[in-house]
């Protein structure tokens, strides 16, 4: 038996356990051994019960002396009083409490020995732990697995207790011969703990060994990540890009016309970008800078360099409001220079032909409709499969370059075996997860068999919303069920200025109701057509996507619904639509040259700069010659979206911008493959911002201050968080809030702004505020995005505790834009230390980086900015914050390794090749 052995082959694991493990995606021995402990408890010797509160959680062992269940109003509280084993006169009992968890009372009984873990608090005379983690000691032959050792505690798992899981892993470790870590480390990183690392991480001999083996495994994770990043970086520089040769006259004119001079930082960053644009290697640069630091003007100047050299430039923003604002700014500055600018936002792109998912395939054999293969019905399944693997696997120019000598991913070839077995039933997620791709199956009610006509209707329904509300990758309508791959899109005009996505639920409801009626009509039947949908799973990686994609496209043939040589018309992939698309000059390099040469007779209908939202991704037709793509607020886009905009030949230069500063350690992972430019200087003449914390009961002070400022001709924002989700309630809450403030600030003119205000009204409201007619704007967070009114110097944020630090920072960035000192009041009625610690960060600093660090510190690990979205390998053990030092080491080692041996050709480096090949399964934070 080895690590690849399937758990099913191990007869000693009972079937229900196998199923529970599979729900955790643990299929092989190796998977189970790499299900690392979340923490360990030292159960070799328990400490005595404390006599006071403890600062952190402690692990204690005692006997249950009594239990009781109490009711308080609607709440049920279950208590278990523990007594120390060798109790003496001074020892105090310890009470463990659980609120509203009825099942606990069935698990705990008087006389049991219990190990508990939690923080001890004092309440009156009693010492308490609320909701401790606990384990009942059962005195059986397994006791030595669970006690008298440093014991692993696993991530909590539905249907598997700690005890069961621990015993399974223990037994498994007895059966495998060796359990080394799975990532080879270069000598410079290794600390000698590789041998049997997996055994040691579960059941370490002592704390020293635990620490060392953890470091070792964390380094492995980090090293793999950094190898992929380093390789992506190397590869990007090998791509063919465009060399933007221009004298920079347009940019000069633009800069000269600005009413201010560039700050030193802006100038430096502009020079960096300029240098990148001039060389053939494609630029891949991140422009970081706090809100209001002036990134946009730098981006405009950069776009002008590209335009002057004969290319097009694109500016992509995450929301419609922001895109429109950029458009207005650009028109304002660039119309005088004769630059043609176009706007494409979701709302306006309904008629556009969809741009295929995998643009580079254009012109390949498969897509030439006249091709002998494509026409033969016999080859349809084969062609689809080939096409699928080719297209997704090499979804970008980057990957197809790696393709030299690299076989399709292993996952892909494995799917032939038993694809169905791997998808378990899941309930639909209620939450939305940005840019997630879901594999979904919808069955018909009572397995009703759909007629051919009905199948066509179902397929049309799916396609109808494609590129409008979601992206559909592939779909297949079987006689009694439908499989598809779907990626919900943002809803454009949401309330808070943040991107809100269509939820999968909404979308499925839409698809089902859209088709059900038509199907019933076509079949002259009545009643429910569709059964509850099944959400098969998230798509986690590129191979995963390929696998599911293929599975869907081959399903009719694989399942026997269609004969191997028969056509099955109810299967669809994005490429199918694309074949209809007009053929476009493919040689973009020639294009560039032509564009430069014939600049005088250029087509006046072609814009120089296209501004838009994600709708730009479907604007393939309009990019005759994309030379520079600027992506604003890039963290709000998914990886695939960026890739799509930029995976064309020659590779466009890419400038991504973010006003969300991130901790420096994260920069080397999430943005590890980008060059980084930072604008670390605010434009001169900006007034200081003073921030005050205020508890709700002292609101009067702030109001008096506000009135004073308003009589001084200043203006104010009052921000309140939205509490109710429903539209009606929301409008009501907003209106009420508004009335109260109007009263408080009388006679100064106030206006109300929220997401439900019609766009035209919104504009006039903003206009009146800008002109100073309105003195105070009562608003939701819609104003977060891009409002720039220098005379507004006061901001009062109600219920500030409800916002995250970064969002508060962004909001606060709306003031302090003029020369006057600005004031920000953070009002909160929550007096917990947690809230006060959080908010006082803002009191102390206005530096976005410091705020980001603090935010990270306070929130702990977790997904600060979507490492999940970055497409980087998942970290199971490593903690980007705590293990920053290890990350630096791993990065150093990976960069050195690839620098000295870019092809990993030397014999001792062969073993690292897998780390990079696996990258086919990954996508990156950057864009290639
Ligand atoms: P952000 O970095 O948040 O995108 P913007 O580019 O929107 O910032 O700039 C914020 C405001 O500052 C704009 O009104 C812009 O015109 C102005 N601005 C930009 N650069 C300077 C500068 N060097 N001096 C003075 N004002 C500037
Ligand atoms: Mg901006």
């Amino acid at each position: 038996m080895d690590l690849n052995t399937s758990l099913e082959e191990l007869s000693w694991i009972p079937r229900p356990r196998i199923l529970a493990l599979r729900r955790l995606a643990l299929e092989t021995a190796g998977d189970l051994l790499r299900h690392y402990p979340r923490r360990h408890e030292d159960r070799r010797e328990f400490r005595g019960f404390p006599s006071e509160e403890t600062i952190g959680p402690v692990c204690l062992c005692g006997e249950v002396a009594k239990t009781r269940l109490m009711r308080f109003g609607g709440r049920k509280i279950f208590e278990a009083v523990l007594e120390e084993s060798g109790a003496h006169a001074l020892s105090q009992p310890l009470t463990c409490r659980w609120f509203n968890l009825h099942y606990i009372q069935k698990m705990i009984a008087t006389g049991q020995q219990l190990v508990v873990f939690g923080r001890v608090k004092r309440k009156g005379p009693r010492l308490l732990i609320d909701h401790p983690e606990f384990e009942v000691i059962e005195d059986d032959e397994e006791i030595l697995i669970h006690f008298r050792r440093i014991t692993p505690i696993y991530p909590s798992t539905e249907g598997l207790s700690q005890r069961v899981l621990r015993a399974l892993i223990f037994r498994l470790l007895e059966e495998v011969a060796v359990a080394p870590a799975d990532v080879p480390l270069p000598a410079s990183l290794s600390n000698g703990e590789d041998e049997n690392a997996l055994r040691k991480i579960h059941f370490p001999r002592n704390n020293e060994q635990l620490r060392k083996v953890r470091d070792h495994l964390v380094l492995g994770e980090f090293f793999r990540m950094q190898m992929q990043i380093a390789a992506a970086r190397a590869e990007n520089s090998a791509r063919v890009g465009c060399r933007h040769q221009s004298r920079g006259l347009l940019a000069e004119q633009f800069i000269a016309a600005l009413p201010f001079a560039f700050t030193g930082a802006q100038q430096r960053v502009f020079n960096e970008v300029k240098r990148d644009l001039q060389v053939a290697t494609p630029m891949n640069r991140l422009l970081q800078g706090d809100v209001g630091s002036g990134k946009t003007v730098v981006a405009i100047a950069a776009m002008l360099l590209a335009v002057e050299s004969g290319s097009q430039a694109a500016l992509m923003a995450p929301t419609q409001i922001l895109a429109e604002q950029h458009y207005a700014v650009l028109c304002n500055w660039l119309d005088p220079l004769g630059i043609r600018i176009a706007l494409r936002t979701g709302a306006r792109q309904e008629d556009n032909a969809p741009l295929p998912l995998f643009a580079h395939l254009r012109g390949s054999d498969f897509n030439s409709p006249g091709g002998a293969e494509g026409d033969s019905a016999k080859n349809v399944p084969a062609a689809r499969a080939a096409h699928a693997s080719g297209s997704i696997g090499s979804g970008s120019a980057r990957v197809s370059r790696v393709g030299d000598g690299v076989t399709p991913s292993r996952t892909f070839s494995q799917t032939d075996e038993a694809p169905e077995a791997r998808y378990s039933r899941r309930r639909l997620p209620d939450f939305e997860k940005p840019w997630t791709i879901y594999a979904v199956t919808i069955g018909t009610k009572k397995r009703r068999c759909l007629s051919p006509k009905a199948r066509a209707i179902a397929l049309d329904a799916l396609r109808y919303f494609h590129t409008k509300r979601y992206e559909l990758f592939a779909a297949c309508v079987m006689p009694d069920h439908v499989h598809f791959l779907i990626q919900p899109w943002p809803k454009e005009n949401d309330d808070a200025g943040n991107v809100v996505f269509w939820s999968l639920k909404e979308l499925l409801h839409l698809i089902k109701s859209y088709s059900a009626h038509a199907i019933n009509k076509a079949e002259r039947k009545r009643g429910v057509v569709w059964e509850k949908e099944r959400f098969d799973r998230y798509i986690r990686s590129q191979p995963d996507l390929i696998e599911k994609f293929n599975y869907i496209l081959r399903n009719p043939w694989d399942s026997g619904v269609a004969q191997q040589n028969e056509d099955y018309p109810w299967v669809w992939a994005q490429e199918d639509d694309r074949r209809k698309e007009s053929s476009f000059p493919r040689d973009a390099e020639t294009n560039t040259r032509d564009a430069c040469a014939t600049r005088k007779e250029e087509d006046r209908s072609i814009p120089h700069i296209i501004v838009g939202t994600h709708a730009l991704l479907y604007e393939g037709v309009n990019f005759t010659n994309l030379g520079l793509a600027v992506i604003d607020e890039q963290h709000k886009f998914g990886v695939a979206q960026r890739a799509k905009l930029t995976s064309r030949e020659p590779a466009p230069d890419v400038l991504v911008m973010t006003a969300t500063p991130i901790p420096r350690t994260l920069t080397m992972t999430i943005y590890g493959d980008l060059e980084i430019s930072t604008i670390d200087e605010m434009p001169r003449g900006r007034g200081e911002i003073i921030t005050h914390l205020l508890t709700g009961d002292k609101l009067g002070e702030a109001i008096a201050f506000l009135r004073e400022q308003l009589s001084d001709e200043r203006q104010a924002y009052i921000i309140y968080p939205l509490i109710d989700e429903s539209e009606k309630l929301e409008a009501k809450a907003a209106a009420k809030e508004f009335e109260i403030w109007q009263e408080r600030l009388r006679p100064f003119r106030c206006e109300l702004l929220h997401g439900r205000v019609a766009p035209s009204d919104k504009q006039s409201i903003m206009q009146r505020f800008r002109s100073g007619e309105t003195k105070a704007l009562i608003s939701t967070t819609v104003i977060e995005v891009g409002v720039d009114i220098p005379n507004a110097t006061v901001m009062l944020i109600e219920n500030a505790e409800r916002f995250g630090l970064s969002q508060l920072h962004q909001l606060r960035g709306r003031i302090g834009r003029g020369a006057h000192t600005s004031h920000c009041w953070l009002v909160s009625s929550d007096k917990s230390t947690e809230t006060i610690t959080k908010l006082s960060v803002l009191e102390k600093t206005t530096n976005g980086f410091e705020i980001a660090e603090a935010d990270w510190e306070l929130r702990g690990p977790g997904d600060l900015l979507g490492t999940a979205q970055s497409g980087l390998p998942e970290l199971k053990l490593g903690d980007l914050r705590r293990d920053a030092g290890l990350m630096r080491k791993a990065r150093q080692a990976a960069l050195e390794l690839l620098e000295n041996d870019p092809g990993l050709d030397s014999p001792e480096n062969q073993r690292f090749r897998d780390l990079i090949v696996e990258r086919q399964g990954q996508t990156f934070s950057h864009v290639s």
Side-chain angles (χ1 to χ4, degrees), residues 260-263 266 290-297 683 686 788 817:
F260 46 77
F262 267 15
T263 59
Q266 282 172 317
D290 228 326
V291 239
S293 61
K295 295 182 294 296
T296 317
V297 277
R686 296 264 166 94
D788 187 20
R817 296 186 156 240

Side-chain angles (χ1 to χ4, degrees), residues 262-281:
F262 267 15
T263 59
Q266 282 172 317
Q267 189 60 51
R268 174 171 42 81
V269 169
F270 179 58
N271 290 342
E272 286 164 358
V273 171
K274 197 168 174 178
R275 223 174 305 129
D276 281 0
L277 287 174
Q278 281 166 351
V279 297
T281 310

